[in-house]
Amino acid sequence: MFPAHRPRRLRTSVAMRRLVCENFLRIDDLISPIFVVPGSGFAKEVVSMPGVYQLSVDKAVEEAQQVADLGIPAVILFGIPEQKDAGATGAWHDHGIVQAATAAIKKALPDLLVLADTCLCEYTDHGHCGVIVPGDTVGKVLNDPTLEILGRTAVAQAEAGADIIAPSGMMDGMVSAIRRALDAAGFMDTPILSYAAKYASAYYGPFRDAADSTPQFGDRRTYQMDPGNRREALKEIRLDIAEGADMLMVKPALAYLDIIHQVKEASDLPVAAYNVSGEYAMVKAASLKGWVDEERIVLETLLSMKRAGADLLLTYHAKDAARWLTR
Ligand code: PBG
Ligand code: ZN
């Protein structure tokens, strides 16, 4: 008890604080998202995500170059196809936009890891993460028929050079379906980062502007998780581990730090946290108004995710964070 214990003794100087610091951010942990669109020479800022752009493939390669130059090890690609249809053709076609961008980025930057988000919502005309019965007006996604398309999509992405397959659609059995499809195509060494505990969240709003993937009817609550549920996240990760996931993701991050912590405790796989679009937009808006110190807010927020247990951070702040961490 006081006066024997004085915790402030270990906070007296910069050097002392460095010595006892428990958690750090590392550039090595960052994954920077890129939104790819058709065309060339095209760059358009996403209105609700200042500093984030929809980029044509040539511009996406330039963006990937900047990411690599900052020492960030990986990008994750999201695609907006020329045309959307009921069968999500743009997702699995050899000439799909993510496949084209992956090939171009890997050609220019072989050492930069390319993650492919594997989902159908950007490619279906109705904006749901899988196929539906024709005429459906509520968005009841058919699970098992969707698995076959996800497997095909993952193989097309791997063939284009994707280093990591990241399924985000919250379909039951998606990890095992993708594992089987990859193995059958000879990609037994391509890892799967499963969006294992992904909640039906309002924090995805700005992303859906960026990826043009807002459901045309209904919502995603029949496949994404209920924000009130914690134990269900354990069920989801247990299943994904059993199905062969190599890494697990929790999404969103900031409002779900308890889930990140619990997933880390419950598994021995690397855990990724997705600092999603709405989290980015809130920080960006307050920063632009001059209401918060952007650098300190961003680094503290990302650090909270590491402290909760995240090993990897997917964040739209990745390039800024890398610059700040380098200084
Ligand atoms: C696609 C997908 C989404 C996000 C990542 N992959 C959107 C959604 O599920 O509606 C959200 C990412 C973000 O908000 O930054 N399934
Ligand atoms: Zn989706």
Side-chain angles (χ1 to χ4, degrees):
M1 291 287 264
F2 183 82
H5 289 288
R6 290 177 182 270
R8 289 180 57 190
R9 285 178 195 133
L10 300 184
R11 300 178 200 137
T12 48
S13 67
V14 173
M16 190 72 85
R17 292 192 292 272
R18 279 176 59 200
L19 202 63
V20 299
C21 180
E22 298 176 42
N23 292 283
F24 332 83
L25 285 172
R26 304 188 315 159
I27 295 175
D28 290 351
D29 303 327
L30 300 172
I31 299 169
S32 196
I34 302 180
F35 295 100
V36 193
V37 296
S40 69
F42 182 88
K44 183 172 167 229
E45 193 168 32
V46 179
V47 174
S48 51
M49 301 177 74
V52 174
Y53 294 80
Q54 293 180 329
L55 301 169
S56 53
V57 171
D58 55 324
K59 293 283 182 186
V61 173
E62 288 175 21
E63 167 75 11
Q65 178 75 60
Q66 283 182 33
V67 169
D69 289 345
L70 286 162
I72 297 169
V75 293
I76 182 162
L77 303 185
F78 298 94
I80 297 103
E82 195 101 49
Q83 277 184 7
K84 299 172 188 265
D85 59 29
T89 308
W92 49 266
H93 200 275
D94 284 346
H95 300 295
I97 183 80
V98 162
Q99 285 77 300
T102 299
I105 291 172
K106 289 305 292 186
K107 182 159 178 252
L109 302 155
D111 295 333
L112 180 72
L113 292 175
V114 172
L115 283 75
D117 179 90
T118 306
C119 198
L120 307 185
C121 48
E122 293 114 85
Y123 308 94
T124 51
D125 45 16
H126 44 72
H128 279 287
C129 298
V131 292
I132 59 174
V133 178
D136 177 357
T137 52
V138 291
K140 188 177 179 307
V141 170
L142 305 173
N143 195 86
D144 299 12
T146 299
L147 296 182
E148 193 270 323
I149 306 179
L150 288 176
R152 236 189 294 160
T153 303
V155 169
Q157 292 169 335
E159 277 170 349
D163 298 288
I164 299 175
I165 299 300
S168 64
M170 289 298 284
M171 295 298 123
D172 295 337
M174 68 181 183
V175 173
S176 88
I178 287 172
R179 184 72 274 155
R180 244 174 299 153
L182 287 172
D183 288 1
F187 295 104
M188 43 281 284
D189 288 329
T190 301
I192 297 174
L193 164 56
S194 179
Y195 288 63
K198 176 174 177 178
Y199 288 84
S201 173
Y203 283 99
Y204 308 149
F207 174 97
R208 291 179 189 172
D209 294 340
D212 185 25
S213 63
T214 307
Q216 298 304 300
F217 46 81
D219 56 43
R220 303 210 201 289
R221 280 184 273 196
T222 67
Y223 40 106
Q224 298 179 349
M225 286 175 57
D226 188 322
N229 294 358
R230 183 179 62 77
R231 289 159 64 235
E232 192 185 7
L234 288 174
K235 175 166 85 179
E236 284 286 358
I237 66 157
R238 235 180 263 128
L239 292 170
D240 282 11
I241 294 168
E243 289 178 30
D246 298 278
M247 300 187 271
L248 303 169
M249 194 193 300
V250 174
K251 180 184 173 201
L254 192 51
Y256 296 83
L257 294 177
D258 56 328
I259 309 297
I260 295 173
H261 176 72
Q262 150 185 292
V263 168
K264 181 59 167 279
E265 300 275 297
S267 85
D268 49 15
L269 302 186
V271 175
Y274 201 140
N275 173 220
V276 298
S277 58
E279 300 170 40
Y280 176 85
M282 293 194 304
V283 165
K284 224 47 198 179
S287 303
L288 288 168
K289 285 211 170 243
W291 290 350
V292 295
D293 177 333
E294 183 177 15
E295 174 174 342
R296 292 189 57 208
I297 286 274
V298 168
L299 295 179
E300 183 177 333
T301 303
L302 295 177
L303 183 60
S304 77
M305 294 160 197
K306 296 257 358 218
R307 195 183 60 240
D311 300 295
L312 313 174
L313 301 172
L314 293 90
T315 177
Y316 304 97
H317 298 292
K319 287 195 297 171
D320 282 337
R323 285 186 201 107
W324 295 325
L325 290 170
T326 302
R327 269 216 308 268

